[in-house]
Amino acid sequence: MNRGADSGRIARRFAALKAEERGGLVTFVTAGDPDRPTFEKILLGLPGAGADLIELGMPFSDPMADGPAIQAASVRALASGANMKQTLDLVRLFRHSDGDTPIILMGYYNPIYLYGVERFLNDAKAAGVDGLIVVDLPPEEDAELCLPALEAGINFIRLATPTTDDARLPAVLRNTSGFVYYVSVLGITGTKSGRNDDIRGAVERLHRHTDLPVAVGFGIRTADAVHAITRTADAAVVGSAIVDRIANGLDGNGKPAAGLVDSVLNYVRELAGGLKP
C-alpha cells in the first residue's frame, strides 16, 4: 500500500508537547452543537483556551460507544441542520485562522459510507482534516476506509481498550497512525472514570508495543484528572464533560443562553491548567 503524505500536524504537535515536557489536551465537541453560529465560536476559541488537538464529532443518529451526553449533542446538532457537508465546512472555516491545531473527525462509518468514501476523503483532506477515528470499523475491515484514508494522507487513529490484550494489539496497531486512543474504561463515554494505576499500566504496555503517542479518554472531567493522566500518557481526551457544559448553557427552550460560549471555553482553560507540571 502506498501511504500518502499526511499534513504532519499531529506529529508536529506531539513533538512540540514533548519539547515542552508536558502532556496535551484533546477536546471533543460535536460539530454543529447546539447550533452552527454558537458552535463556530466554540470551535474557533478552543485553541486559545488550551486545546492542543481537537476531536470533531460527526453527528450521527445511532451511536454505539457514546454515552447520553454525546448522544444528546448529536441530536441537538442534527436538529439544527448539521450534516457531513457542514462538518467539513466547519473544518475549512477553522483552517482560515488556524493552520497548526490538528483536527480529527470522530464518529461512525455510516455517514461516511453515505457521503461516499472517495468523495469524503478528498473533501476531508482539502478541508484540513488530519485524522479519523471511526469506532465501528475493526482492523478486519481496513479495506473499507482505513487503507484508503492512509493512501489519501489522512491518519487513521485506532482505539485500544482494557480488553485489548497482547494477542490483539498487533492487529489494532498495524495501520494506526498519528496516535493511539486508549479508552480507559469498559462501557460508553462519560459515565465513569478509570483508576490511575490501571491507566498507567495500560499506557506503559501500549508504549512497549508502539512508538506512537498515547492519548487517554473517557470519564476525564477535572484539571486534576488531566494532570494525573498526562503524567503517564501523552495526552488526555475530554469530551462528555465539555459537551455537558454546552447542554447546561441552554435555556428552557433548548436555545443557547447568554454566556454559553464563555462557559465552555473557560472550562477548557480550567482543564488546561492541569497540564502544568
Side-chain angles (χ1 to χ4, degrees), residues 160-242:
T161 74
T163 60
T164 308
D165 59 21
D166 286 340
R168 179 64 172 167
L169 261 180
V172 170
L173 297 173
R174 185 170 52 240
N175 289 315
T176 297
S177 62
F179 63 91
V180 180
Y181 187 140
Y182 180 67
V183 175
S184 62
V185 298
L186 296 175
I188 56 178
T189 60
T191 54
K192 55 186 176 181
S193 303
R195 295 177 60 250
N196 288 334
D197 288 347
D198 294 339
I199 293 171
R200 184 181 305 110
V203 172
E204 289 173 353
R205 187 168 67 90
L206 285 169
H207 277 313
R208 289 197 292 272
H209 285 265
T210 179
D211 293 330
L212 289 170
V214 177
V216 175
F218 281 40
I220 301 170
R221 291 183 168 273
T222 66
D224 286 345
V226 168
H227 180 71
I229 293 293
T230 54
R231 292 187 68 183
T232 301
D234 299 281
V237 186
V238 182
S240 295
I242 296 173

Side-chain angles (χ1 to χ4, degrees), residues 67-224:
I70 294 178
Q71 289 188 42
S74 272
V75 170
R76 290 192 296 269
L78 292 169
S80 71
N83 54 35
M84 185 64 80
K85 181 178 181 301
Q86 290 190 20
T87 297
L88 297 175
D89 285 345
L90 286 163
V91 179
R92 196 174 295 109
L93 172 71
F94 181 83
R95 285 283 170 248
H96 289 164
S97 60
D98 190 318
D100 297 323
T101 304
I103 289 189
I104 297 99
L105 297 185
M106 182 171 185
Y108 300 87
Y109 183 49
N110 189 286
I112 296 171
Y113 178 80
L114 289 176
Y115 192 90
V117 169
E118 183 176 358
R119 177 187 171 214
F120 169 77
L121 292 174
N122 288 337
D123 290 356
K125 179 78 172 179
V129 171
D130 303 292
L132 300 176
I133 301 174
V134 181
V135 300
D136 54 351
L137 280 180
E140 288 75 12
E141 305 296 334
D142 274 358
E144 288 282 343
L145 180 64
C146 173
L147 298 183
L150 295 175
E151 290 174 2
I154 297 177
N155 289 287
F156 202 87
I157 294 131
R158 193 87 71 188
L159 304 178
T161 74
T163 60
T164 308
D165 59 21
D166 286 340
R168 179 64 172 167
L169 261 180
V172 170
L173 297 173
R174 185 170 52 240
N175 289 315
T176 297
S177 62
F179 63 91
V180 180
Y181 187 140
Y182 180 67
V183 175
S184 62
V185 298
L186 296 175
I188 56 178
T189 60
T191 54
K192 55 186 176 181
S193 303
R195 295 177 60 250
N196 288 334
D197 288 347
D198 294 339
I199 293 171
R200 184 181 305 110
V203 172
E204 289 173 353
R205 187 168 67 90
L206 285 169
H207 277 313
R208 289 197 292 272
H209 285 265
T210 179
D211 293 330
L212 289 170
V214 177
V216 175
F218 281 40
I220 301 170
R221 291 183 168 273
T222 66
D224 286 345

